[in-house]
């Protein structure tokens, strides 16, 4: 594996919350390698450490010990300011709940990000990439749940991030709507060449990944290379 191709690397990564009898160990000496441009699905039961891992890889949280690197950046020893810069310039996040600002239109919600990004695309371009070119003037309340989530995807990718991190992006959606959101994620990942990680507990979604990482007990318990990656639209929900 050439050094330039590595996006994320973790070795012996530990995250614990609390101390003494109240200590909860969320990540237990986790090892991980993710290549640039990979589409990863992170599967595992609730409480297995998926969100904790994603938050550390995205610079939203810091680890207790061990190694986690994004390219040549040390995410464990980085200062708050360095993590903020890393998130702002390189990471797009999509969460289960869309977190749009209700008083702003779709375009204005995306613009919040493009205004502070270094090399943004136009908000309308980002909305067009998720199939919402004709909804730029709509407010969140005028959009369905799936459309709101696609605005959130547009907002995440409008800065042209290197990394797209999605935590249960279809968790609040029904199957057909979920497929439309996953199709948007798939399309922007391919068009922008992002390294993409999608957390889900729905194993059907794993069919769209290059590689599936199964988490259990705060570690990657197993990984599967998916030789027959299928488009989101062809997944059998
Ligand atoms: P998953 O995303 O797989 O459901 P999480 O990463 O959210 O798992 O949680 C892993 C473990 O860490 C769980 O036992 C959870 O209760 C615990 N945990 C997560 N965040 C916190 C926190 N802020 N404080 C205390 N414990 C936490």
């Amino acid at each position: 594996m050439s050094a330039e191709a590595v996006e994320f690397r973790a070795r012996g990564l530990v995250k614990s919350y609390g101390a003494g009898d109240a200590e909860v160990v969320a990540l237990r000496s986790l090892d991980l390698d993710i290549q640039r441009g990979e589409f990863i699905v992170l599967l595992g039961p609730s409480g297995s450490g998926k969100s904790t891992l994603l938050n550390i890889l995205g610079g939203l949280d810091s680890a207790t010990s061990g190694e986690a690197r994004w390219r040549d950046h040390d995410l464990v020893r980085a200062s708050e300011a360095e993590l903020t810069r890393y998130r702002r310039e390189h990471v797009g996040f999509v969460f289960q709940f869309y977190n749009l600002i209700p008083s702003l239109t779709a375009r204005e919600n995306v613009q919040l990000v493009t205004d502070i990004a270094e090399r943004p695309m136009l908000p309308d371009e980002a909305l067009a990439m998720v199939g919402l070119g004709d909804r730029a003037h709509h407010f969140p309340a005028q959009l369905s749940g799936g459309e709101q989530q696609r605005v959130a995807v547009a907002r995440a990718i409008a800065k042209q991030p290197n990394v797209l991190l999605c935590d249960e992006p279809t968790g609040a959606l029904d199957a057909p709507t979920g497929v439309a959101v996953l199709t948007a994620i798939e399309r922007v990942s391919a068009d922008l060449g992002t390294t993409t990680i999608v957390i889900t507990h729905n194993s059907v979604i794993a069919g769209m990944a290059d590689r599936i990482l199964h988490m259990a007990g705060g570690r990657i318990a197993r990984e599967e290379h998916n030789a027959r990656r299928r488009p989101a639209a062809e997944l059998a929900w």
Side-chain angles (χ1 to χ4, degrees), residues 3 47 49 55 75 91 107 128 131 134 136 142 156 162 176 196 212 224-225:
N55 290 345
L75 298 176
V91 187
R107 177 191 285 151
D134 56 348
Q142 298 170 319
N162 302 100
T196 302
I212 303 144
E224 264 176 275
H225 287 270

PDB file of all heavy atoms in Angstrom, residues 3 47 49 55 75 91 107 128 131 134 136 142 156 162 176 196 212 224-225:
ATOM      1  N   ALA A   3       2.198   5.022   0.509  1.00  0.00           N
ATOM      2  CA  ALA A   3       1.863   5.974   1.569  1.00  0.00           C
ATOM      3  C   ALA A   3       0.902   7.048   1.076  1.00  0.00           C
ATOM      4  O   ALA A   3       0.009   7.465   1.817  1.00  0.00           O
ATOM      5  CB  ALA A   3       3.135   6.608   2.115  1.00  0.00           C
ATOM      6  N   GLY A  47     -24.010   0.832  20.020  1.00  0.00           N
ATOM      7  CA  GLY A  47     -23.071   0.795  21.141  1.00  0.00           C
ATOM      8  C   GLY A  47     -21.722   0.176  20.789  1.00  0.00           C
ATOM      9  O   GLY A  47     -20.843   0.079  21.651  1.00  0.00           O
ATOM     10  N   GLY A  49     -19.446   1.401  18.890  1.00  0.00           N
ATOM     11  CA  GLY A  49     -18.388   2.408  18.753  1.00  0.00           C
ATOM     12  C   GLY A  49     -18.329   3.098  17.396  1.00  0.00           C
ATOM     13  O   GLY A  49     -17.398   3.869  17.134  1.00  0.00           O
ATOM     14  N   ASN A  55     -16.582  10.194  14.644  1.00  0.00           N
ATOM     15  CA  ASN A  55     -16.326  11.530  15.203  1.00  0.00           C
ATOM     16  C   ASN A  55     -14.832  11.796  15.373  1.00  0.00           C
ATOM     17  O   ASN A  55     -14.375  12.922  15.164  1.00  0.00           O
ATOM     18  CB  ASN A  55     -17.046  11.689  16.546  1.00  0.00           C
ATOM     19  CG  ASN A  55     -18.550  11.774  16.366  1.00  0.00           C
ATOM     20  OD1 ASN A  55     -19.046  11.991  15.267  1.00  0.00           O
ATOM     21  ND2 ASN A  55     -19.286  11.581  17.444  1.00  0.00           N
ATOM     22  N   LEU A  75      -4.356  13.110  14.290  1.00  0.00           N
ATOM     23  CA  LEU A  75      -5.655  13.544  14.819  1.00  0.00           C
ATOM     24  C   LEU A  75      -5.740  13.378  16.336  1.00  0.00           C
ATOM     25  O   LEU A  75      -6.638  13.932  16.964  1.00  0.00           O
ATOM     26  CB  LEU A  75      -6.794  12.752  14.161  1.00  0.00           C
ATOM     27  CG  LEU A  75      -6.946  12.905  12.646  1.00  0.00           C
ATOM     28  CD1 LEU A  75      -8.045  11.980  12.136  1.00  0.00           C
ATOM     29  CD2 LEU A  75      -7.260  14.355  12.254  1.00  0.00           C
ATOM     30  N   VAL A  91     -13.499  18.003   5.622  1.00  0.00           N
ATOM     31  CA  VAL A  91     -14.485  16.993   6.013  1.00  0.00           C
ATOM     32  C   VAL A  91     -15.911  17.490   5.784  1.00  0.00           C
ATOM     33  O   VAL A  91     -16.252  18.598   6.200  1.00  0.00           O
ATOM     34  CB  VAL A  91     -14.332  16.621   7.514  1.00  0.00           C
ATOM     35  CG1 VAL A  91     -15.248  15.456   7.870  1.00  0.00           C
ATOM     36  CG2 VAL A  91     -12.887  16.285   7.854  1.00  0.00           C
ATOM     37  N   ARG A 107     -30.849  26.919  -0.622  1.00  0.00           N
ATOM     38  CA  ARG A 107     -29.606  27.551  -1.102  1.00  0.00           C
ATOM     39  C   ARG A 107     -28.871  28.256   0.033  1.00  0.00           C
ATOM     40  O   ARG A 107     -27.654  28.148   0.157  1.00  0.00           O
ATOM     41  CB  ARG A 107     -29.934  28.560  -2.201  1.00  0.00           C
ATOM     42  CG  ARG A 107     -28.675  29.303  -2.677  1.00  0.00           C
ATOM     43  CD  ARG A 107     -29.010  30.468  -3.567  1.00  0.00           C
ATOM     44  NE  ARG A 107     -29.397  30.013  -4.885  1.00  0.00           N
ATOM     45  CZ  ARG A 107     -30.235  30.671  -5.688  1.00  0.00           C
ATOM     46  NH1 ARG A 107     -30.808  31.781  -5.285  1.00  0.00           N
ATOM     47  NH2 ARG A 107     -30.512  30.207  -6.885  1.00  0.00           N
ATOM     48  N   ALA A 128     -27.726  20.918  -7.372  1.00  0.00           N
ATOM     49  CA  ALA A 128     -27.974  20.176  -8.614  1.00  0.00           C
ATOM     50  C   ALA A 128     -27.378  18.767  -8.519  1.00  0.00           C
ATOM     51  O   ALA A 128     -27.973  17.801  -9.005  1.00  0.00           O
ATOM     52  CB  ALA A 128     -27.385  20.925  -9.806  1.00  0.00           C
ATOM     53  N   GLY A 131     -29.730  16.430  -7.064  1.00  0.00           N
ATOM     54  CA  GLY A 131     -31.031  16.380  -7.734  1.00  0.00           C
ATOM     55  C   GLY A 131     -32.035  17.390  -7.220  1.00  0.00           C
ATOM     56  O   GLY A 131     -33.242  17.210  -7.376  1.00  0.00           O
ATOM     57  N   ASP A 134     -33.951  22.409  -8.656  1.00  0.00           N
ATOM     58  CA  ASP A 134     -35.183  23.199  -8.762  1.00  0.00           C
ATOM     59  C   ASP A 134     -35.802  23.518  -7.397  1.00  0.00           C
ATOM     60  O   ASP A 134     -36.929  23.993  -7.322  1.00  0.00           O
ATOM     61  CB  ASP A 134     -36.203  22.450  -9.639  1.00  0.00           C
ATOM     62  CG  ASP A 134     -36.489  21.057  -9.097  1.00  0.00           C
ATOM     63  OD1 ASP A 134     -35.746  20.588  -8.192  1.00  0.00           O
ATOM     64  OD2 ASP A 134     -37.464  20.435  -9.562  1.00  0.00           O
ATOM     65  N   ALA A 136     -33.988  25.239  -4.847  1.00  0.00           N
ATOM     66  CA  ALA A 136     -33.074  26.145  -4.150  1.00  0.00           C
ATOM     67  C   ALA A 136     -33.810  27.158  -3.266  1.00  0.00           C
ATOM     68  O   ALA A 136     -33.312  27.542  -2.214  1.00  0.00           O
ATOM     69  CB  ALA A 136     -32.186  26.874  -5.158  1.00  0.00           C
ATOM     70  N   GLN A 142     -40.866  23.093   3.523  1.00  0.00           N
ATOM     71  CA  GLN A 142     -41.533  22.837   2.236  1.00  0.00           C
ATOM     72  C   GLN A 142     -40.928  21.631   1.513  1.00  0.00           C
ATOM     73  O   GLN A 142     -41.271  21.348   0.373  1.00  0.00           O
ATOM     74  CB  GLN A 142     -41.401  24.074   1.337  1.00  0.00           C
ATOM     75  CG  GLN A 142     -42.080  25.310   1.934  1.00  0.00           C
ATOM     76  CD  GLN A 142     -41.733  26.580   1.171  1.00  0.00           C
ATOM     77  OE1 GLN A 142     -40.583  26.782   0.777  1.00  0.00           O
ATOM     78  NE2 GLN A 142     -42.725  27.431   0.960  1.00  0.00           N
ATOM     79  N   ALA A 156     -22.898  19.363   2.872  1.00  0.00           N
ATOM     80  CA  ALA A 156     -21.665  18.666   3.275  1.00  0.00           C
ATOM     81  C   ALA A 156     -20.621  18.681   2.172  1.00  0.00           C
ATOM     82  O   ALA A 156     -19.428  18.739   2.453  1.00  0.00           O
ATOM     83  CB  ALA A 156     -21.997  17.227   3.676  1.00  0.00           C
ATOM     84  N   ASN A 162     -12.364  16.351   1.076  1.00  0.00           N
ATOM     85  CA  ASN A 162     -11.656  15.115   0.735  1.00  0.00           C
ATOM     86  C   ASN A 162     -12.386  13.901   1.291  1.00  0.00           C
ATOM     87  O   ASN A 162     -12.302  12.808   0.753  1.00  0.00           O
ATOM     88  CB  ASN A 162     -10.238  15.119   1.319  1.00  0.00           C
ATOM     89  CG  ASN A 162      -9.445  16.303   0.830  1.00  0.00           C
ATOM     90  OD1 ASN A 162      -9.306  17.290   1.538  1.00  0.00           O
ATOM     91  ND2 ASN A 162      -8.950  16.232  -0.388  1.00  0.00           N
ATOM     92  N   PRO A 176     -37.722   3.913  -0.004  1.00  0.00           N
ATOM     93  CA  PRO A 176     -37.501   4.604  -1.292  1.00  0.00           C
ATOM     94  C   PRO A 176     -36.777   5.941  -1.114  1.00  0.00           C
ATOM     95  O   PRO A 176     -35.911   6.311  -1.915  1.00  0.00           O
ATOM     96  CB  PRO A 176     -38.919   4.834  -1.844  1.00  0.00           C
ATOM     97  CG  PRO A 176     -39.827   4.032  -1.001  1.00  0.00           C
ATOM     98  CD  PRO A 176     -39.143   3.664   0.264  1.00  0.00           C
ATOM     99  N   THR A 196     -15.347   8.025   1.411  1.00  0.00           N
ATOM    100  CA  THR A 196     -16.666   8.124   2.030  1.00  0.00           C
ATOM    101  C   THR A 196     -16.860   6.991   3.031  1.00  0.00           C
ATOM    102  O   THR A 196     -16.552   5.841   2.732  1.00  0.00           O
ATOM    103  CB  THR A 196     -17.751   8.063   0.931  1.00  0.00           C
ATOM    104  OG1 THR A 196     -17.504   9.123   0.012  1.00  0.00           O
ATOM    105  CG2 THR A 196     -19.157   8.196   1.502  1.00  0.00           C
ATOM    106  N   ILE A 212     -16.661  -3.397   3.577  1.00  0.00           N
ATOM    107  CA  ILE A 212     -17.571  -3.341   4.721  1.00  0.00           C
ATOM    108  C   ILE A 212     -16.756  -3.650   5.971  1.00  0.00           C
ATOM    109  O   ILE A 212     -16.078  -4.674   6.034  1.00  0.00           O
ATOM    110  CB  ILE A 212     -18.696  -4.389   4.558  1.00  0.00           C
ATOM    111  CG1 ILE A 212     -19.433  -4.137   3.228  1.00  0.00           C
ATOM    112  CG2 ILE A 212     -19.673  -4.351   5.730  1.00  0.00           C
ATOM    113  CD1 ILE A 212     -19.890  -5.385   2.539  1.00  0.00           C
ATOM    114  N   GLU A 224     -14.918  -7.052   4.990  1.00  0.00           N
ATOM    115  CA  GLU A 224     -15.286  -7.793   3.786  1.00  0.00           C
ATOM    116  C   GLU A 224     -15.034  -6.911   2.583  1.00  0.00           C
ATOM    117  O   GLU A 224     -15.510  -5.767   2.554  1.00  0.00           O
ATOM    118  CB  GLU A 224     -16.809  -7.980   3.783  1.00  0.00           C
ATOM    119  CG  GLU A 224     -17.363  -9.234   4.305  1.00  0.00           C
ATOM    120  CD  GLU A 224     -18.895  -9.115   4.282  1.00  0.00           C
ATOM    121  OE1 GLU A 224     -19.473  -8.566   5.243  1.00  0.00           O
ATOM    122  OE2 GLU A 224     -19.489  -9.533   3.290  1.00  0.00           O
ATOM    123  N   HIS A 225     -14.312  -7.423   1.617  1.00  0.00           N
ATOM    124  CA  HIS A 225     -14.193  -6.704   0.348  1.00  0.00           C
ATOM    125  C   HIS A 225     -15.412  -7.082  -0.479  1.00  0.00           C
ATOM    126  O   HIS A 225     -15.768  -8.249  -0.562  1.00  0.00           O
ATOM    127  CB  HIS A 225     -12.901  -7.087  -0.369  1.00  0.00           C
ATOM    128  CG  HIS A 225     -11.711  -6.487   0.292  1.00  0.00           C
ATOM    129  ND1 HIS A 225     -11.215  -5.254  -0.047  1.00  0.00           N
ATOM    130  CD2 HIS A 225     -10.946  -6.938   1.312  1.00  0.00           C
ATOM    131  CE1 HIS A 225     -10.187  -4.978   0.739  1.00  0.00           C
ATOM    132  NE2 HIS A 225      -9.998  -5.971   1.567  1.00  0.00           N
TER     133      HIS A 225
END
